[in-house]
Amino acid sequence: MPDRTDRLYPYARHPDQDAASPRRHPVTVVGGGPVGLATALDLGLRGVPVLLLDDQEGVGEGSRAICFAKRTLEIADRYGAAAPMLDKGVVWNLGKVFHEDRKVFEFNLLPEDGHRFPAFINLQQFHVERFLVDRIRTAQAEGAPIDLRGGNRVTQIDRQPDHTTLTVTTPDGPCEIETDWLVACDGASSPIRRMMGLDFDGRVFQDNFLIADITMTADFPTERWFWFEPSHRAGASTLLHRQPDGVWRVDFQIGWDIDRTEELREENVRRRLTAMLGPDVGYDLVWTSVYTFQCRRMTRFRHDRVIFAGDSAHQVSPFGARGANSGIQDADNLGWKLAMVIREEAPDTLLDSYDEERRHAADENILNSTRSTDFITPKSRVSHTFRNAVLRLAGRYDFARPLVNSGRLSVPCTYDGLSLTGADDLPGGPARTRPGSACPDAPLGDGYLLDRLRDGFTLLTIDAGAPDTLADGITIRRLALSAADDPTGALAARYLGQAASAVYLIRPDQHVVYRAATYDDTAVRRALRRTTCREDT
Amino acid sequence: MAKLNTRPNITAPDQFYAELIRTHEGLTDEESEALNARLILLLANHIGDAEVLTEALAAAREV
Ligand SMILES: Cc1cc2nc3c(=O)[nH]c(=O)nc-3n(C[C@H](O)[C@H](O)[C@H](O)COP(=O)(O)OP(=O)(O)OC[C@H]3O[C@@H](n4cnc5c(N)ncnc54)[C@H](O)[C@@H]3O)c2cc1C
């Protein structure tokens, strides 16, 4: 096992701490979890000077996220951090569902061909965080203005009209820092949210989950196994999932009225594990913990110059792996917008669209993970009866299988009908690439489409004419493709559908703004202005 | 030839399921049971076809 408490960014005294008056920074990100690290990378790689403060000195203790979705890998790839994740991660496609020990059915995620990344990988969160820190180090060496400070805890904030003053507590005592923009990525119990007295309402699920990470010598297949009401009674439901380093995640649903300390005693954890694995399987405990889960979000994610991202803004139950995965999408959504506002390429109202889009996404994630939780842990007799009826029918009849819900795995949200989303003028165009959606990948000769949609706005043309660049306050680069670039037909299937040609305006976060069959200068400019909130200029 | 459709046919399964459970919210077990009976009768009337109904009754009992 790697040492999880590696001091990847040990505290070091900074000249800011000796300055006579507080130094001013354009952006400060608070929190070095996956979302804070991704936000700092996104901004830093765009050349925006970013200060990242974390109260720890390295990756988080303990075991949390293990399931990372394709979209997260695609975003990490834009940051140049995906290769080690893919190398280290475990790819799985086969899932099995059991009820009272009988296998009800199995499913194959049957990943669609023609994507650089698999639908999901299993990878411990601390590995993901470490790879992001590694990438911050190489980016710094390449000149990205990212300043990562460990052992820096924000303990007080004072909001002014044009900046925020932070009191930062360090091993050498407190110091003050000023920042134009503050991005709070300080986790579900967000101290910044509390300091501002903001609400965080939702539903607590009256259940506890005992998480055990174990190493086994037994040869279990690389599959996701989910048991409803197993007869070993070690948990009302149980999940077994493989991670790298020969580690397995076992997740027992253990009820509401429990004694945490008692449950976490090694002999009690072992009693459950042995009941489940049988007496002959040897294993070692790597990590155990008891969690309760909640689904809730802040009313608003933007409070003027303070912006919340990740778990500080929204929290979901883990079924469907929507926590870290959606937080990384927050970073992806915020980075280009904040960079444009700081460069004065767009008005700060652009940041309201972050709030709008990511609240919409949070609602979708909360809805999905609430439904999964309700299916897994039915709270009334009738819902329990229905749940078991679904499981029983699913063993025999296909129709009941889509109703079995042990987690709907995270996919990116489509910003249908939201403020930045433009018109769909492509008759016969596929629904999956309609305005608002995240661009699906497609093979292009020796590379992939998403490799070519980096950094700025792109005008993607497929068998359509258009100018090579378009300047309208900001510059749009054209990516001209034709049937010859589409060896597998995936590009046509995903971007043309019934259409013979297409023009797509694509945002820096690879979401579609607008599309049409042919290039229309006025329409493209209108869509660009709308999506950068410069409609009146 | 079986007439009962047992292939997936519900457009948005998760949404339907959530709605079904929500319909029972706040009811006692007896009230829920009675609601289910009314629901079955409503759906049966909608289906109408005697063969389909007979097959469905048998499938529910045998599975
Ligand atoms: C058991 C479990 C399983 C999960 N499985 C999955 C999964 O499979 N997939 C998935 O996507 N998600 C999963 N999640 C959710 C995932 O772990 C979280 O969504 C994710 O960690 C959120 O990242 P974050 O960066 O927003 O917050 P955090 O990871 O909580 O990071 C917050 C950071 O802020 C720092 N901080 C806090 N206060 C201050 C302060 N005052 N000053 C400076 N720094 C501060 C903290 O030290 C920490 O480093 C799981 C969670 C649990 C508990």
Side-chain angles (χ1 to χ4, degrees), chain B residues 20-34:
Chain B
L20 175 64
I21 301 304
R22 201 164 46 239
T23 306
H24 284 273
E25 233 163 56
L27 301 188
T28 64
D29 293 343
E30 292 72 40
E31 289 167 341
S32 276
E33 210 177 316

Side-chain angles (χ1 to χ4, degrees), chain A residues 142-439:
Chain A
E142 292 155 15
I146 306 172
D147 183 352
L148 168 53
R149 299 186 199 166
N152 276 243
R153 182 193 299 268
V154 175
T155 48
Q156 205 178 312
I157 69 167
D158 178 19
R159 293 169 70 206
Q160 300 295 327
D162 69 336
H163 72 278
T164 302
T165 304
L166 308 176
T167 305
V168 182
T169 301
T170 75
D172 288 326
C175 88
E176 285 195 348
I177 281 173
E178 289 182 358
T179 187
D180 294 343
W181 297 96
L182 179 64
V183 188
C185 304
D186 50 349
S189 55
S190 173
I192 293 176
R193 194 184 60 227
R194 293 206 171 140
M195 290 175 217
M196 291 172 61
L198 297 169
D199 58 347
F200 196 44
D201 293 330
R203 235 176 106 185
V204 179
F205 291 97
Q206 303 222 323
D207 228 312
N208 286 281
F209 289 81
L210 174 74
I211 311 265
D213 281 352
I214 61 175
T215 50
M216 282 195 283
T217 36
D219 203 20
F220 266 80
T222 304
E223 298 170 358
R224 179 188 194 265
W225 289 16
F226 197 100
W227 287 266
F228 292 96
E229 304 180 318
S231 68
H232 59 61
R233 298 241 156 259
S237 68
T238 300
L239 172 68
L240 177 70
H241 225 182
R242 180 174 214 152
Q243 309 174 47
D245 308 318
V247 176
W248 296 83
R249 161 73 50 93
V250 189
D251 195 333
F252 296 112
Q253 179 198 344
I254 61 173
W256 185 235
D257 287 318
I258 56 141
D259 178 339
R260 236 185 125 87
T261 327
E262 222 13 56
E263 290 297 342
L264 282 169
R265 275 176 44 202
E266 176 159 347
E267 64 206 79
N268 290 329
V269 175
R270 284 192 172 270
R271 189 169 310 129
R272 290 185 189 277
L273 284 165
T274 306
M276 171 195 165
L277 297 167
D280 306 326
V281 177
Y283 59 87
D284 290 312
L285 294 178
V286 178
W287 172 265
T288 55
S289 188
V290 170
Y291 291 96
T292 55
F293 294 120
Q294 353 220 329
C295 284
R296 51 186 182 169
R297 72 159 168 86
M298 297 178 72
T299 309
R300 283 188 296 127
F301 297 176
R302 178 186 178 199
H303 291 263
D304 200 12
R305 290 179 165 270
V306 184
I307 296 160
F308 292 83
D311 274 17
S312 71
H314 46 75
Q315 211 186 352
V316 293
S317 74
F319 306 106
R322 289 165 182 266
N325 284 306
S326 70
I328 300 282
Q329 290 166 40
D330 290 349
D332 186 44
N333 189 291
L334 181 59
W336 66 273
K337 294 176 181 174
L338 193 50
M340 285 188 81
V341 170
I342 287 170
R343 294 203 182 100
E344 298 183 350
E345 291 168 344
D348 78 289
T349 47
L350 181 57
L351 297 170
D352 291 335
S353 73
Y354 164 80
D355 184 71
E356 182 196 33
E357 292 178 342
R358 297 314 297 165
R359 270 195 283 135
H360 182 78
D363 286 342
E364 185 175 296
N365 288 317
I366 287 172
L367 181 69
N368 275 289
S369 73
T370 300
R371 285 174 176 172
S372 304
T373 312
D374 285 341
F375 192 86
I376 293 164
T377 66
K379 287 299 177 283
S380 67
R381 206 178 97 180
V382 67
S383 65
H384 189 244
T385 304
F386 271 115
R387 200 277 305 274
N388 285 0
V390 166
L391 291 172
R392 177 106 173 238
L393 287 162
R396 173 90 174 264
Y397 296 110
D398 283 354
F399 89 90
R401 292 180 188 171
L403 292 166
V404 176
N405 189 343
S406 65
R408 299 282 182 241
L409 298 174
S410 165
V411 290
C413 178
T414 299
Y415 304 133
D416 279 319
L418 302 190
S419 311
L420 300 195
T421 304
D424 187 356
D425 290 338
L426 183 64
R432 66 191 290 185
T433 42
R434 67 189 181 276
S437 43
C439 286

Side-chain angles (χ1 to χ4, degrees), chain A residues 31 33-35 54-55 64-67 125 152 154 191 291 311 321 323-325:
Chain A
V35 181
D54 190 47
D55 55 357
R64 300 174 72 191
I66 58 165
C67 228
Q125 182 165 334
N152 276 243
V154 175
Y291 291 96
D311 274 17
N325 284 306

Side-chain angles (χ1 to χ4, degrees), chain A residues 9 30-38 52 54 125 129 132 185:
Chain A
Y9 40 90
V30 179
V35 181
L37 293 167
L52 174 56
D54 190 47
Q125 182 165 334
E129 293 177 11
L132 291 172
C185 304

